[in-house]
Amino acid sequence: MSETFLVAFDRRSAYDVTVPSARPWLLGIATRLMHKHARLEAIAWKGVSAELAAQITPDFIEQAGARIDAARLTRRLAKALRRLPEVDRDTLLLYAWGDLDYVSIADAMHVPIGTVRSRLNRARRKLRRAAVLTSTEQETDHGRADAAPQHA
């Protein structure tokens, strides 16, 4: 709108003062400006889409596939982590993210070191199993928190 008034001000000498309303003249200017902007955007969009199309190479497609696979694996592992019993998950997180050794975890959780070992083993086994599930096996799960993975 402001550009319309700038153009109108620049062309004020061309305005026919015998016309009682400037509205049609202003709307004509606005319409031409909108068409100009639409053309410029179309040209810019064609340039952007041509540039993007040039970037799409077999390597780019493979990388996109790898990102999709990684995102699926991340969702599966997050789901498996949520399903772990709380004590197993806490033990695993203390080991993986807390960077504690078995003795330190046992001290922190007030359990014997053998319990830490068995919890870590159980958690790793469940996460490993979740990482190799196929899409068919996931579908039989139906998102139930208590469902065990189905293996053929």
Side-chain angles (χ1 to χ4, degrees):
M1 189 162 101
S2 61
E3 192 174 359
T4 300
F5 284 102
L6 284 173
V7 170
F9 184 77
D10 286 344
R11 296 186 164 187
R12 65 187 181 275
S13 62
Y15 178 68
D16 183 7
V17 291
T18 61
V19 177
S21 174
R23 185 172 186 220
W25 182 63
L26 291 171
L27 290 175
I29 293 171
T31 301
R32 283 189 296 279
L33 287 172
M34 286 175 26
H35 286 293
K36 176 184 167 189
H37 284 294
R39 279 192 310 274
L40 291 174
E41 280 189 39
I43 290 168
W45 178 251
K46 285 179 185 174
V48 167
S49 49
E51 184 180 321
L52 287 174
Q55 291 177 3
I56 297 178
T57 63
D59 189 43
F60 179 82
I61 294 169
E62 287 177 24
Q63 290 172 358
R67 286 191 302 272
I68 290 169
D69 291 343
R72 286 181 184 154
L73 178 60
T74 300
R75 284 192 301 272
R76 282 198 312 253
L77 290 175
K79 186 177 182 180
L81 274 170
R82 283 191 304 271
R83 287 183 173 179
L84 286 175
E86 190 174 331
V87 292
D88 291 355
R89 184 176 48 245
D90 290 345
T91 304
L92 180 67
L93 294 177
L94 286 171
Y95 181 75
W97 287 343
D99 202 25
L100 297 180
D101 60 13
Y102 289 19
V103 174
S104 300
I105 295 170
D107 289 342
M109 298 188 80
H110 306 292
V111 294
I113 195 166
T115 303
V116 171
R117 286 190 177 111
S118 64
R119 287 177 181 175
L120 282 175
N121 184 42
R122 186 172 40 246
R124 287 176 180 145
R125 192 175 54 246
K126 288 180 180 182
L127 291 177
R128 206 174 295 120
R129 198 175 323 143
V132 297
L133 285 178
T134 64
S135 59
T136 307
E137 291 169 335
Q138 279 184 313
E139 289 172 10
T140 60
D141 185 345
H142 300 294
R144 288 183 28 218
D146 61 333
Q150 307 273 329
H151 291 288

